[in-house]
Amino acid sequence: MKAAIIGGGVIGGGWAARFLLNGWNVAVFDPDPEAERKIGEVLSNARRALPALYDRAMPPEGTLRFSDSLADAVAGADWVQESVPERLDIKHRVLADLNAHAPADAIIASSTSGFKPSELTAEGARVIVAHPFNPVYLLPLVELVGDAATCGAAQAMLREVGFYPLHIRKEIDAHIADRFLEAVWREALWLVKDGIATTEEIDEAIRMGFGLRWAQMGLFETYRVAGGEAGMKHFMAQFGPCLSFPWTKLMDVPEFTDTLVDLIAGQSDAQSGHMTIRELERLRDDNLVGIMRALKHTGSGAGGVVTAHEAKLARPGMPVTLERQIPPGWTDYNGHMNETHYLEAGSKATDRFMEMVGADAAYIAAGQSYFTVENHVRYLAEAHAADHLRADTRLLNGDGKKLHLFHTLMRGDGEVVATVESFLLHVDLGTRRSCPPSDAVARALAEVAEAQTRLPVPEGAGRVGL
């Protein structure tokens, strides 16, 4: 698959990274002489952050090239993403060129945050809105607006690269999400102008309070919970009258005088000026990865999208039981992978091995599984954030109720960083007592044992009790 990115700013660079790291080939056209450097820096952050969301390896990275012309960039493209400045005259000119040169079956989409499809197509262009959120390579939401059939095809393609495409049924200025952001932004400007709060205090109010709730429940579900056992009707009856109070100035915008701009810029410098933009981006990405990985455990919000996409990254039957990038959250104050996460990596390798022999989620739901009885970990070399980590698994014993595994954890350069030896017993989940596995699982284990029969016993094996 090929994506063509027209406009290589922050948003265009994010689109390029999202497609590229999901195995697509990407061509970028941007006359800015700094475009290659800027996209290179975005890609550097994306390579560090996006794979850290997943517990499976992402596909091999696609190829990236910078085109000298728009026509060359879109040749053979399956997806064309326009991310030029938010001026309608510029967009009309670029979209006309895209329609003239892009393949007839390519999806042409605009990243516009405010223009409606009817405005973009006013001069005959074939285009839908695909409005993402920064950082595009991490946040899953893309708002789709426009022709229903095209949006339907776009949804399927975007899910393949880990997005959550939301089809908006009726066009409206600024779509859905930016209308909320605009309302909050207006109120924040007044709070600063009137001396009620500084930029830092407003940010603290969001990130220490409702921002955390919104990340996993959104607006309406949050308020449903606030209604208690009586539910949403009770909440609306109790707090609905507040809407008539003169609390907000949603349609009244303070004038952007030099005084107000200097006030906000000065407060922002005092709040965050000690960090570069790239440092702030990495901090943002690390925080988003941590929050989204936490949401994976319950399948809530963006975590559910990551889990669904991760399932598509599985390559059944692989002899490798773990292949992934080490996330920043796995490192500690010494700057290397913390000891607890070597055991976590071994546990995930065990889970994958169980899947391979048929002791998968369906098997567990049917009432049988393996319980770990003992582990032994050897720490042999350092591993660091963003290192590629893989595990090869040796079956030492799979007879009867016993499952004895030896995982060898290696960096991408092939150096062994740790071994995890695990001893498990097969269990009936109804009685919570050990029992033999199903015939199908027993046969699968026997096949693995036969395939590995000529392999020597791994160095360091034999540390767990049998």
Side-chain angles (χ1 to χ4, degrees):
M1 303 290 283
K2 177 186 174 181
I5 309 301
I6 311 303
V10 172
I11 299 301
W15 275 107
R18 171 72 78 159
F19 282 118
L20 192 69
L21 296 183
N22 277 280
W24 285 46
N25 295 327
V26 175
V28 176
F29 172 69
D30 190 324
D32 180 1
E34 293 291 303
E36 191 165 348
R37 176 190 64 79
K38 292 175 181 176
I39 287 185
E41 292 178 352
V42 172
L43 271 174
S44 178
N45 282 346
R47 290 185 179 112
R48 181 177 185 269
L50 181 60
L53 285 178
Y54 299 99
D55 296 319
R56 297 187 189 272
M58 300 193 72
E61 191 171 306
T63 59
L64 173 67
R65 67 183 183 88
F66 291 84
S67 297
D68 293 329
S69 69
L70 180 147
D72 176 69
V74 302
D78 301 282
W79 185 286
V80 179
Q81 189 69 31
E82 170 270 303
S83 300
V84 301
E86 287 284 271
R87 281 180 46 189
L88 197 54
D89 60 328
I90 296 176
K91 289 188 180 293
H92 280 161
R93 185 171 66 251
V94 170
L95 290 172
D97 287 344
L98 291 178
N99 277 254
H101 297 289
D105 58 350
I107 288 179
I108 301 175
S110 173
S111 297
T112 180
S113 59
F115 293 124
K116 301 187 292 290
S118 59
E119 294 172 299
L120 298 177
T121 60
E123 296 185 1
R126 171 175 63 90
V127 63
I128 62 169
V129 169
H131 173 230
F133 291 81
N134 190 36
V136 182
Y137 53 78
L138 273 186
L139 296 184
L141 180 62
V142 176
E143 295 177 314
L144 294 178
V145 200
D147 176 73
T150 306
C151 286
Q155 283 181 300
M157 295 175 75
L158 291 174
R159 288 193 185 100
E160 290 299 314
V161 293
F163 279 119
Y164 181 84
L166 179 64
H167 184 196
I168 301 174
R169 287 169 289 176
K170 295 182 178 181
E171 68 171 35
I172 188 173
D173 292 321
H175 322 312
I176 293 178
D178 274 359
R179 295 179 73 88
F180 288 112
L181 292 176
E182 184 74 9
V184 174
W185 172 238
R186 289 172 189 267
E187 194 61 30
L189 292 175
W190 279 114
L191 290 172
V192 173
K193 181 180 184 299
D194 292 344
I196 305 299
T198 65
T199 58
E200 183 172 10
E201 289 165 348
I202 291 169
D203 285 349
E204 297 289 13
I206 294 170
R207 63 188 179 193
M208 298 297 178
F210 65 86
L212 291 172
R213 298 185 309 195
W214 282 9
Q216 43 88 36
M217 277 191 167
L219 177 65
F220 283 97
E221 198 166 53
T222 294
Y223 283 163
R224 178 181 178 85
V225 173
E229 294 181 0
M232 193 65 167
K233 284 188 176 181
H234 173 70
F235 172 82
M236 294 182 72
Q238 185 172 1
F239 294 99
C242 298
L243 296 177
S244 63
F245 297 167
W247 283 359
T248 64
K249 302 178 180 179
L250 294 183
M251 298 308 296
D252 186 11
V253 186
E255 183 181 355
F256 267 45
T257 62
D258 290 343
T259 300
L260 178 58
V261 170
D262 289 344
L263 175 64
I264 291 176
Q267 290 183 4
S268 180
D269 288 344
Q271 176 184 352
S272 308
H274 62 288
M275 301 179 73
T276 68
I277 292 300
R278 295 294 169 253
E279 288 171 337
L280 284 170
E281 287 176 342
R282 286 190 289 274
L283 175 63
R284 173 203 65 192
D285 290 355
D286 287 352
N287 290 337
L288 286 172
V289 167
I291 292 169
M292 292 166 72
R293 285 188 63 84
L295 292 174
K296 282 176 65 179
H297 290 292
T298 59
S300 301
V305 179
V306 175
T307 299
H309 186 226
E310 184 172 77
K312 297 178 181 179
L313 301 177
R315 285 175 274 181
M318 282 184 63
V320 176
T321 51
L322 179 77
E323 193 171 12
R324 60 162 304 161
Q325 181 173 299
I326 297 173
W330 278 19
T331 60
D332 59 19
Y333 44 80
N334 291 318
H336 60 198
M337 185 165 155
N338 181 265
E339 61 196 61
T340 59
H341 297 291
Y342 288 94
L343 182 58
E344 181 177 353
S347 175
K348 292 184 182 299
T350 295
D351 290 345
R352 177 69 185 117
F353 183 85
M354 288 171 57
E355 292 175 357
M356 291 171 64
V357 298
D360 53 13
Y363 187 81
I364 295 168
Q368 293 184 307
S369 186
Y370 281 95
F371 283 9
T372 302
V373 176
E374 188 174 350
N375 283 305
H376 180 79
V377 184
R378 296 190 307 153
Y379 304 98
L380 304 176
E382 289 185 279
H384 303 92
D387 280 352
H388 188 84
L389 185 69
R390 61 171 275 174
D392 288 341
T393 296
R394 176 74 189 278
L395 173 63
L396 298 180
N397 185 8
D399 296 335
K401 305 173 185 178
K402 298 177 181 179
L403 183 60
H404 185 189
L405 303 175
F406 190 86
H407 306 297
T408 301
L409 304 181
M410 293 166 284
R411 285 200 311 260
D413 59 7
E415 182 174 7
V416 176
V417 297
T419 63
V420 181
E421 187 174 3
S422 300
F423 179 62
L424 303 92
L425 286 175
H426 190 269
V427 172
D428 183 312
L429 295 177
T431 64
R432 316 300 281 189
R433 295 182 179 277
S434 62
C435 68
S438 71
D439 291 343
V441 170
R443 284 194 301 272
L445 288 168
E447 290 173 3
V448 175
E450 175 64 25
Q452 296 184 345
T453 188
R454 289 191 171 88
L455 295 177
V457 175
E459 191 276 325
R463 304 296 181 90
V464 300
L466 300 177

